[in-house]
Each structure stands twice: as C-alpha cells, then as structure tokens.
Amino acid sequence: WWGKDPLVDLKVLKDRNFLIGSALIFLFGIAIYSTVTVLPLFYQELLGYTAFTAGLVVAPRGLGAICGMPVIGYLSNKADPRYLLTFGFITFGLTTLYFGSITTQVSPTTLFLPILITGFGLSFVFVPINTAAYGTLRNDQIGNASGLFNLMRNVGGSVGISVATTLLTRRADVHQNEIVNHVPQTSLSFQHSVHGSQQFLTGYFGPGNASGAAQASLYGQLLKQASTWAFVDVFRWLSLLSFACVIVVWFFKKVKPGR
C-alpha cells in the first residue's frame, strides 16, 4: 500500500502543453543523443582518430551553446517560445543535414563551424521547451512534472543511441550489398582495380600472395565506403526527425513570454 498520494502523478499529462512537451523532449532526446554518439564514432571508426582527438573535434558544440545562452536568456522573456523552438529545431536539422554530406576526406576543421552552429541551435531548444511545457501548469504540479519530463528526455536518449548504433550496422550491410551488386567481379573496373593493386603489392607480398592481398585491400575499401554511407543515412534521418519536431512545436498553446 503506497498511501493516498501516488509516487508519480500522471494527471499532469492531461495538460495539453505538458503532454506535447513530453513527446517533443522524447524526440529531441533521440536526435541530440544520437548525434552526440554517432559523430565521434565516425571520426574514430572511419578516420582513425583517438577518442581524445574525436572529443576535441566535437567540442565546439559546447562553445556554441555557451554563445547561445545569453541570447536565449534575453529572448525568452520577450518572444513566444514556439518561435524560439522553431528556430532551434530548424538550425539543428540543417546542420545535421550538412553532416549527411560527409566523406572520408574531411579534415578536423571541416565540420568546426557546423558543430559550433549545432550547439548554438540547441540552446534555443533547452530553455523554451521548458517554458512551453510548464507554462500552463500550476506551481504545485511543476515538481512532479519535472520528474516525468526529465525521464522522457533520458528514455528518448537511450532509445536514440540504441536505434542509431543498430542502424549503422544494418545500413552498412545494405550498402555493402548494393555496391557489390553494382560492381561485379567480372566487370572491367573491378578487374582493373585488382590488377593495379596486385602490381603495387607484388613488391611487398611477392607474386604468389599479391592477388589475395589486392582483393583484401579492395574489400577493406568496400567496407569503409559502405560504413560511410551508413553514417550518411543516420544523419539524414536525424535531420528529418528534427524538421518533424518543428511541426509538433506548433501544437503548443501560446504561453506568455517569461512564464
């Protein structure tokens, strides 16, 4: 017997703004945590960066958030949260879409500005989404609502990380199969590539082993390209998710700025 008062009062979900806010923070948790996980993996798995170096490359996101906080602190008391959220999600979606054009030829500074802008856009989501979600609740409901709200964000993040890593594996297999179907072993392009690699590797492995080494080298390139396309797919889908969040934002009831 838990007493008269429940541990978690789900009645707050009857409030339209809080229900929409909970759904939105769940979707946002999927988008942000997936991006935070996938981007360093790209640098480590495909470009050979160490964990420390990959962390340095994605660190500008924090700088962007620091730059955006004073701006959002000023605007949150003057502008409708729905406009701020729209700007934040569109900015995040566009930068994530830009990540969807990455190749294995990127330098450490190629994505510096997009990552910086991503952090700036995120600052336009964290504060206004709380304002919109809690703005129509009574003061005595906010404490309980906060627990549910943070739970939805964390669950969304866990789901996002699991789905993103699973998609990376499965989409890599799909793209590997597609590339193999478009470049059969009997094609002239494949034969020329094998022959060229075999001639290059003969001096290292000898004539007898050069053929196997050449095919292994080409297979390694195949795996790398398939994995690259898998990362591209995930980034583009996360971008679409961010744009979908813009639609959800406008189901909020208008909340007085500064509420």
Side-chain angles (χ1 to χ4, degrees):
W1 183 64
W2 298 98
K4 296 182 179 180
D5 298 325
L7 293 177
V8 179
D9 185 6
L10 298 180
K11 292 181 180 179
V12 291
L13 293 174
K14 293 181 178 180
D15 184 272
R16 173 178 166 180
N17 270 26
F18 182 72
L19 178 61
I20 294 173
S22 297
L24 195 60
I25 198 65
F26 176 82
L27 296 176
F28 181 64
I30 293 177
I32 180 59
Y33 284 105
S34 297
T35 306
V36 169
T37 302
V38 169
L39 193 56
L41 282 178
F42 171 78
Y43 281 106
Q44 293 180 67
E45 293 185 2
L46 296 184
L47 302 186
Y49 287 26
T50 64
F52 178 74
T53 306
L56 290 179
V57 172
V58 300
R61 180 184 288 112
L63 297 177
I66 291 173
C67 295
M69 284 302 178
V71 178
I72 192 62
Y74 173 79
L75 293 177
S76 61
N77 292 321
K78 299 182 179 297
D80 188 329
R82 294 176 296 180
Y83 290 105
L84 301 176
L85 284 169
T86 299
F87 174 81
F89 279 118
I90 289 178
T91 301
F92 184 78
L94 290 175
T95 51
T96 308
L97 183 62
Y98 183 84
F99 295 154
S101 62
I102 55 176
T103 68
T104 54
Q105 305 301 317
V106 296
S107 71
T109 58
T110 302
L111 299 181
F112 174 83
L113 187 59
I115 292 174
L116 187 70
I117 296 174
T118 300
F120 184 81
L122 290 178
S123 64
F124 279 77
V125 175
F126 283 116
V127 176
I129 197 172
N130 284 274
T131 302
Y134 299 151
T136 55
L137 294 175
R138 301 191 309 270
N139 288 340
D140 61 294
Q141 294 177 308
I142 291 179
N144 180 70
S146 178
L148 284 173
F149 196 73
N150 291 323
L151 174 64
M152 293 300 293
R153 183 190 62 201
N154 292 331
V155 171
S158 300
V159 170
I161 293 172
S162 301
V163 171
T165 52
T166 301
L167 285 176
L168 285 177
T169 302
R170 294 188 177 182
R171 293 302 297 174
D173 292 339
V174 170
H175 286 296
Q176 180 181 342
N177 185 61
E178 291 177 348
I179 295 174
V180 169
N181 290 335
H182 283 82
V183 188
Q185 295 185 8
T186 56
S187 66
L188 290 177
S189 59
F190 179 80
Q191 295 297 330
H192 287 322
S193 297
V194 172
H195 182 67
S197 298
Q198 185 174 347
Q199 286 184 327
F200 175 77
L201 296 173
T202 298
Y204 295 94
F205 297 95
N209 298 321
S211 177
Q215 294 186 33
S217 175
L218 290 178
Y219 182 66
Q221 295 180 38
L222 168 66
L223 294 179
K224 191 172 185 179
Q225 291 301 319
S227 296
T228 301
W229 277 108
F231 279 97
V232 167
D233 287 344
V234 171
F235 281 128
R236 290 178 177 177
W237 289 339
L238 290 175
S239 175
L240 291 177
L241 178 62
S242 299
F243 292 138
C245 288
V246 175
I247 300 174
V248 179
V249 165
W250 289 96
F251 285 95
F252 278 120
K253 292 181 180 178
K254 185 176 181 180
V255 176
K256 183 179 178 181
R259 172 68 175 85

